[in-house]
Amino acid sequence: MISVTWSIFLVWTKIGLLLDMAPCSVSAKPCPSVCRCDVGFIYCNDRDLTSIPTGIPEDATTLFLQNNQINNAGIPSELKNLLRVERIYLYHNSLDEFPTNLPKYVKELHLQENNIRTITYDSLSQIPYLEELHLDDNSVSAVSIEDGAFRDNVYLRLLFLSRNHLSTIPWGLPKTIEELRLDDNRISTISELSLQDLTNLKRLVLDGNLLNNHGLGDKVFMNLVNLTELSLVRNSLTAAPVNLPGTNLRKLYLQENHINHVPPNAFSYLRQLYRLDMSNNNLSNLPQGVFDDLDNITQLFLRNNPWHCGCKMKWVRDWLQSLPLKVNVRGLMCQAPEKVRGMAIKDLNAELFDCKDDGMISTIQITTAVPNTLYPAQGHWPVSVTKQPDIKTPNLNKNYRTTASPVRKIITIFVKSVSTETIHISWKVALPMTALRLSWLKMGHSPAFGSITETIVTGDRNDYLLTALEPESPYRVCMVPMETSNIYLSDETPECIETETAPLKMYNPTTTLNREQEKEPYKNSSLPLAAIIGGAVALVAIALLALVCWYVHRNGSLFSRNCAYSKGRRRKDDYAEAGTKKDNSILEIRETSFQMIPITNDQVSKEEFVIHTIFPPNGMNLYKNSHSESSSNRSYRDSGIPDSDHSHS
Ligand SMILES: *[C@@H]1O[C@H](CO)[C@@H](O)[C@H](O)[C@H]1NC(C)=O
Ligand SMILES: *[C@@H]1O[C@H](CO)[C@@H](O)[C@H](O)[C@H]1NC(C)=O
Ligand SMILES: *[C@@H]1O[C@H](CO)[C@@H](O)[C@H](O)[C@H]1NC(C)=O
């Protein structure tokens, strides 16, 4: 093994030497000795430079100067003469002020991770053709931006000021701006005037600020007629914002606030909206008809809210049942009252909503479907009317259901605690079924954020192993039939059973408590071996790369960018790359739960096959996770507008 490694190392060494010499023999044009110049691309990055070297060739178009220690004094005035330069990468340097002497025609300027505090008209007016300005991770505050600093920048489309010290949106931003990112600042107020003129704005990101409903004027966003995406994740809103511009808004992100109130008109006129996310809030109910204007909605995410499935929410069930197949709604799982905790709102029987107190209201709604002549228009309603449970679907076959005392159970569940983290579920069904929805929930302390996990099992199975559970904890396991072939369901109420994982001391605790994934142990017995082999191969590859890097590092800095990466430093080049992150919300679908089952029975509502409400397993919070990830591994895109379906936060 060692000799093989050694010979591979030698081969790599030779390749390294060859590459090292290549530029010297090819390029005849002048090039600063510390840099590498390659037809217009000037590589002076990762060299511990304190100033930009002189002698950069005139045909330069792109200057890579990132990851140095260049300060403001280190920018020579002759840099101005490079009239072909369009892109400058100066991120992760030691700039305290916005640089001057930049080439006049620069279009793209990357200044992330410096310590820039002031932005002045003097410096910006020297680069009037600027289109993209990346200033994330600096120390810009609202007062340190000179009044009218941007007034000559009439081509600026994109301004990124994430992770600075802004307390409000700077005044006088150019009208031309299409994308504005101000996430992770300290913005607590936005005045109605500050955004008024930005009518070309398409994407506005305000995540991770201190915005509450008082700080947010009622009409701040109203003028943004071209806005397609608005993100207010991780703020302190207690109510959904109102007066949003409906002409173009397609995505609205409101996760991780404290929203417990949605005004009935919050989403009025948002006819283009197709993605709305209000996950991780404090919502217990929704006003009736709040989604009525959302003609184009296809993704509605409402996970991790303390839904109270009382009478106020009954309309949601009816609405869910009326939705077309393409609409994907997630997270409408009851957290209260206790008797329906863990159940999907969509699956609840009308009686479970406890509409007794408001009996009159619901009765009146029901009777609109019934010919008026049958009942007096006023006065006391006959008792029989209020009791009639299922006028919406007057299906005679449903009379088979005996809600008061079920004659026999459709599903009988058996549980067996296998270990501290696993529970074996098996079941018997009284009727043949095509599929069943299986969900489980850890019972206990936090009623607001229970984590329900669910999956769909095909009807031919009769057992399932729940894994990655928490030791010594009570769980509620529920099953509900999704359809039966040729036979009507007698009852759609979930069948539930409570059980507990085994106590810790009985078993050796496993070292990795993998809560993120749940495997199908019956299928994946070959997986660990594959993983071990894969891991070993990867280790060898990493060792080789480290050797090569070490060698090259010693012998010059040609590969230093790559080496920096494997040395474990933050991957700086994320700033330069168009690295969009994956949409985590999709990852929640487990492989086993995503079997598509042919629809053979017309009576079955098709939406049953849209898997909704898949919560992350216990204790996990996907949103929080993705955020902490984004702050430790910051990734920046050159331009965000064209891409549409990647979540950025
Ligand atoms: C909105 O965008 C369109 C192009 O998508 C543009 O023609 C129009 O001028 C913009 N509206 C405003 C008010 O700037
Ligand atoms: C959630 O909303 C309720 C009122 O509906 C409020 O009493 C409670 O403090 C809120 N919780 C959080 C965490 O904001
Ligand atoms: C829905 O979106 C499509 C495509 O963006 C658009 O053509 C259509 O007009 C929208 N529907 C409504 C009702 O606005």
Side-chain angles (χ1 to χ4, degrees):
M1 191 62 188
I2 289 169
S3 70
V4 171
T5 313
W6 185 245
S7 60
I8 292 175
F9 168 64
L10 286 179
V11 169
W12 274 89
T13 307
K14 280 182 188 156
I15 292 172
L17 278 170
L18 278 174
L19 284 174
D20 228 357
M21 287 177 328
C24 315
S25 52
V26 173
S27 97
K29 286 191 176 152
C31 183
S33 56
V34 291
C35 302
R36 186 169 69 89
C37 305
D38 187 6
V39 280
F41 292 85
I42 313 300
Y43 299 92
C44 308
N45 50 298
D46 299 85
R47 279 160 169 80
D48 293 330
L49 302 175
T50 52
S51 60
I52 298 176
T54 52
I56 292 174
E58 275 179 14
D59 68 349
T61 58
T62 305
L63 307 183
F64 294 101
L65 296 160
Q66 70 269 21
N67 302 331
N68 284 300
Q69 291 152 28
I70 298 167
N71 54 34
N72 287 84
I75 303 179
S77 62
E78 67 157 72
L79 201 69
K80 262 196 285 203
N81 304 331
L82 300 173
L83 295 181
R84 292 211 192 161
V85 170
E86 295 193 341
R87 275 174 303 275
I88 302 181
Y89 294 86
L90 260 168
Y91 59 78
H92 196 246
N93 273 291
S94 306
L95 300 170
D96 288 326
E97 284 166 41
F98 201 96
T100 45
N101 298 329
L102 295 178
K104 183 177 181 185
Y105 296 102
V106 67
K107 287 183 179 160
E108 223 182 289
L109 183 54
H110 297 256
L111 294 170
Q112 304 94 325
E113 282 194 77
N114 279 283
N115 192 29
I116 297 173
R117 277 172 290 216
T118 52
I119 299 182
T120 58
Y121 172 74
D122 273 354
S123 45
L124 275 172
S125 59
Q126 291 180 2
I127 42 174
Y129 299 97
L130 196 63
E131 294 176 13
E132 293 188 12
L133 177 54
H134 300 258
L135 275 166
D136 320 59
D137 299 286
N138 276 287
S139 306
V140 178
S141 62
V143 289
S144 66
I145 301 179
E146 190 185 343
D147 265 352
F150 289 95
R151 67 179 178 268
D152 283 356
N153 298 96
V154 295
Y155 298 99
L156 196 67
R157 285 185 298 106
L158 192 143
L159 176 59
F160 287 3
L161 277 162
S162 308
R163 293 175 296 280
N164 275 279
H165 302 162
L166 297 171
S167 56
T168 183
I169 294 186
W171 289 88
L173 297 179
K175 273 188 177 188
T176 46
I177 284 194
E178 292 176 18
E179 176 160 8
L180 180 58
R181 295 206 190 175
L182 301 168
D183 47 302
D184 296 286
N185 277 278
R186 300 172 194 155
I187 300 175
S188 57
T189 53
I190 300 180
S191 77
E192 299 197 343
L193 294 173
S194 57
L195 289 171
Q196 183 170 263
D197 292 335
L198 306 185
T199 46
N200 283 301
L201 201 59
K202 291 184 178 161
R203 180 182 278 169
L204 176 57
V205 180
L206 288 163
D207 300 355
N209 279 293
L210 305 170
L211 288 165
N212 59 29
N213 289 84
H214 300 294
L216 208 58
D218 249 6
K219 293 174 181 153
V220 271
F221 303 117
M222 210 162 75
N223 267 11
L224 306 178
V225 290
N226 271 352
L227 197 67
T228 58
E229 185 178 326
L230 174 61
S231 191
L232 286 160
V233 180
R234 289 182 290 127
N235 276 284
S236 304
L237 301 177
T238 48
V242 290
N243 292 322
L244 298 176
T247 37
N248 282 291
L249 195 64
R250 299 173 66 74
K251 296 183 209 167
L252 177 58
Y253 298 103
L254 299 170
Q255 305 93 297
E256 291 188 62
N257 280 277
H258 308 294
I259 299 175
N260 59 26
H261 170 67
V262 178
N265 62 344
F267 309 124
S268 299
Y269 310 112
L270 303 186
R271 296 189 192 278
Q272 303 296 326
L273 199 70
Y274 78 79
R275 184 170 177 142
L276 170 59
D277 198 333
M278 290 199 288
S279 301
N280 295 75
N281 275 293
N282 188 13
L283 287 166
S284 54
N285 58 66
L286 291 165
Q288 180 153 8
V290 69
F291 302 130
D292 280 359
D293 275 1
L294 305 182
D295 299 332
N296 257 350
I297 195 82
T298 52
Q299 298 167 348
L300 176 58
F301 297 148
L302 300 163
R303 301 181 186 94
N304 289 354
N305 278 289
W307 298 115
H308 182 95
C309 298
C311 195
K312 274 187 188 166
M313 287 292 276
K314 185 168 170 295
W315 76 270
V316 173
R317 181 197 74 150
D318 301 338
W319 177 74
L320 287 172
Q321 291 181 348
S322 71
L323 284 176
L325 181 63
K326 64 164 186 162
V327 185
N328 188 0
V329 182
R330 304 237 183 129
L332 283 170
M333 278 279 187
C334 306
Q335 299 288 343
E338 191 57 31
K339 67 173 173 185
V340 291
R341 186 162 144 77
M343 296 182 190
I345 293 183
K346 191 166 178 245
D347 296 334
L348 293 190
N349 280 327
E351 311 90 79
L352 285 171
F353 282 97
D354 266 344
C355 289
K356 290 182 222 92
D357 299 347
D358 309 294
M360 275 313 189
I361 295 162
S362 66
T363 306
I364 289 163
Q365 276 163 9
I366 286 168
T367 49
T368 53
V370 176
N372 260 341
T373 47
L374 277 179
Y375 304 106
Q378 280 178 332
H380 293 287
W381 298 100
V383 181
S384 62
V385 177
T386 46
K387 284 231 171 119
Q388 211 161 339
D390 253 329
I391 290 187
K392 196 174 160 270
T393 49
N395 185 343
L396 284 181
N397 295 286
K398 292 229 168 191
N399 288 345
Y400 173 60
R401 171 165 58 205
T402 50
T403 41
S405 56
V407 175
R408 59 171 176 162
K409 283 182 172 179
I410 299 294
I411 311 168
T412 316
I413 310 177
F414 308 94
V415 292
K416 192 173 152 236
S417 175
V418 182
S419 77
T420 54
E421 288 167 37
T422 47
I423 292 175
H424 184 251
I425 308 290
S426 57
W427 57 86
K428 283 205 175 108
V429 291
L431 301 165
M433 286 175 195
T434 309
L436 296 114
R437 191 202 309 264
L438 167 66
S439 61
W440 60 101
L441 160 77
K442 180 170 170 277
M443 315 282 289
H445 338 291
S446 123
F449 294 103
S451 310
I452 297 151
T453 314
E454 64 173 39
T455 186
I456 291 169
V457 290
T458 48
D460 53 352
R461 292 194 47 176
N462 55 17
D463 69 350
Y464 192 89
L465 195 70
L466 310 183
T467 58
L469 305 175
E470 282 184 24
E472 231 170 318
S473 307
Y475 280 84
R476 171 184 272 181
V477 180
C478 295
M479 297 194 81
V480 61
M482 286 178 62
E483 73 154 300
T484 54
S485 34
N486 301 321
I487 303 165
Y488 290 104
L489 297 183
S490 63
D491 193 345
E492 286 173 346
T493 316
E495 182 61 39
C496 294
I497 193 162
E498 279 167 29
T499 179
E500 208 165 293
T501 43
L504 267 174
K505 56 179 185 281
M506 284 171 62
Y507 300 91
N508 293 331
T510 45
T511 44
T512 51
L513 198 63
N514 184 357
R515 294 171 181 188
E516 230 163 336
Q517 267 156 10
E518 201 238 348
K519 277 182 257 156
E520 267 278 55
Y522 307 125
K523 279 186 194 165
N524 294 345
S525 53
S526 65
L527 223 146
L529 187 61
I532 289 165
I533 293 171
V537 170
L539 266 177
V540 170
I542 287 168
L544 279 176
L545 188 64
L547 272 173
V548 171
C549 282
W550 168 79
Y551 167 78
V552 176
H553 189 68
R554 245 187 34 170
N555 290 275
S557 43
L558 176 65
F559 283 159
S560 59
R561 280 165 74 204
N562 305 338
C563 294
Y565 180 34
S566 68
K567 273 190 303 193
R569 279 169 54 182
R570 173 132 41 97
R571 191 178 174 187
K572 303 295 188 223
D573 288 322
D574 281 350
Y575 285 117
E577 284 171 7
T580 49
K581 277 196 288 144
K582 270 164 79 183
D583 184 346
N584 275 333
S585 58
I586 308 295
L587 295 180
E588 292 171 55
I589 298 171
R590 299 125 174 280
E591 47 164 3
T592 46
S593 67
F594 212 59
Q595 292 154 336
M596 278 300 162
I597 301 140
I599 297 164
T600 48
N601 189 341
D602 287 346
Q603 296 295 324
V604 173
S605 76
K606 288 190 296 251
E607 315 89 274
E608 288 293 358
F609 294 92
V610 178
I611 300 161
H612 47 118
T613 331
I614 298 184
F615 279 70
N618 295 312
M620 282 291 306
N621 185 328
L622 285 171
Y623 292 94
K624 293 254 159 55
N625 242 30
S626 68
H627 284 303
S628 55
E629 183 196 317
S630 73
S631 54
S632 64
N633 179 20
R634 290 163 192 173
S635 63
Y636 294 83
R637 275 187 313 222
D638 285 338
S639 149
I641 289 162
D643 100 289
S644 53
D645 256 326
H646 294 282
S647 76
H648 50 75
S649 58

